[in-house]
Amino acid sequence: MIRIDRASSRYHADYGWLKTYHSFSFGEYYDPNNIQFGPLRVLNDDFVAPLAGFGAHPHREMEIVSIVLKGYLQHEDSTGHKAVTTFGGVQRMSAGTGIVHSEVNPSATEEVNFLQLWFFPEQYGLPPSYERTEFPVDKMKNALLPIVTKHPSSPGIAHIHQDLTIYLSDLEAGHELTFTQPEGRNIFVFVIEGDLTLNGEAHLQRRDAARITEMPVLRLATNEGSRLMLIDLPKEG
């Protein structure tokens, strides 16, 4: 089954310094029928103005992944980590028993756009931790490149405390990919740019998403070219 969530259906808020789009209930947006998809709890598409951002605030018992699409994002936390990330980098933070962090746009001239994803962890009570990784952007071309997973196979893949894998892909016009997974798992697809067709039937445009269940083989094709995120994740979270 493929459920399409159009970009226009996302909750949107404009605070001046922050323009945000929520794919799941978050903050002042609450929909009891849209809390999570398996362990995926939050997907926020944030645009933060120059020299603005989220001041120090706490988190507990959540796996938090930030993927910068454009501009620069600066992270600082109570465990002593500080880093700046742009496209090609991933920030993974395990809030565990408790952490305080801030996320700001360090640029005086350029807006930052990033995706922030929250996942419920497989195990609670973990010590808080932070990791910044860099992936080879050129390896996204017509392939599904893993950037976050439970069992990383290289230093360019971030480790997460949940049985899932996040992939990015730059699929060229006229090309097709096939993704397979074991029975009993879910797939979440998010179109960052361009267009995408799933199994020849579901057509997605920029910032559309799809929640896919009971479909272990998924064919991805594009007419115009597509930058996309695919998440392989368990049904329960």
Side-chain angles (χ1 to χ4, degrees):
M1 176 181 175
I2 300 176
R3 167 185 157 177
I4 298 176
D5 298 320
R6 297 297 178 192
S8 58
S9 70
R10 298 180 299 173
Y11 173 82
H12 173 54
D14 186 344
Y15 301 103
W17 65 272
L18 168 68
K19 297 177 177 63
T20 184
Y21 299 82
H22 300 167
S23 295
F24 297 89
S25 292
F26 184 86
E28 61 188 35
Y29 163 57
Y30 177 71
D31 178 352
N33 298 312
N34 190 28
I35 301 296
Q36 65 189 93
F37 183 62
L40 176 55
R41 174 64 187 84
V42 168
L43 171 53
N44 291 350
D45 187 2
D46 289 340
F47 297 78
V48 178
L51 301 179
F54 304 91
H57 56 283
H59 291 286
R60 291 177 61 89
E61 305 299 4
M62 197 66 67
E63 300 289 299
I64 300 175
V65 175
S66 297
I67 303 171
V68 179
L69 303 179
K70 181 182 179 183
Y72 296 87
L73 182 67
Q74 178 177 292
H75 164 97
E76 191 167 0
D77 66 50
S78 55
T79 65
H81 291 96
K82 184 175 182 179
V84 176
T85 303
T86 189
F87 183 68
V90 171
Q91 297 185 23
R92 187 275 307 164
M93 186 175 74
S94 296
T97 54
I99 195 169
V100 175
H101 81 137
S102 63
E103 293 161 302
V104 300
N105 180 357
S107 172
T109 59
E110 185 180 2
E111 180 182 68
V112 62
N113 173 212
F114 67 101
L115 302 178
Q116 186 161 100
L117 302 98
W118 296 13
F119 300 93
F120 292 110
E122 260 189 334
Q123 178 184 349
Y124 292 92
L126 296 170
S129 63
Y130 173 82
E131 178 184 21
R132 180 187 178 279
T133 56
E134 294 185 0
F135 57 88
V137 174
D138 61 311
K139 299 297 185 182
M140 295 167 51
K141 184 177 178 180
N142 298 321
L144 288 166
L145 177 69
I147 61 168
V148 180
T149 192
K150 182 180 177 182
H151 299 293
S153 58
S154 77
I157 307 175
H159 169 253
I160 193 167
H161 299 96
Q162 180 55 266
D163 183 21
L164 63 86
T165 302
I166 302 175
Y167 300 88
L168 291 181
S169 178
D170 277 334
L171 190 58
E172 292 181 308
H175 285 72
E176 184 173 307
L177 292 170
T178 299
F179 178 76
T180 60
Q181 64 176 188
E183 296 278 354
R185 294 180 64 82
N186 289 344
I187 305 171
F188 185 89
V189 173
F190 184 78
V191 180
I192 299 169
E193 300 290 346
D195 76 292
L196 193 66
T197 300
L198 305 177
N199 282 358
E201 59 182 68
H203 303 286
L204 282 68
Q205 299 292 330
R206 181 181 185 272
R207 261 41 178 202
D208 287 348
R211 307 181 195 193
I212 302 158
T213 58
E214 299 176 2
M215 194 170 287
V217 179
L218 184 68
R219 289 182 293 108
L220 305 99
T222 178
N223 294 319
E224 305 168 7
S226 179
R227 172 165 287 174
L228 65 105
M229 175 176 66
L230 183 150
I231 310 175
D232 169 20
L233 67 170
K235 283 190 174 182
E236 304 299 327

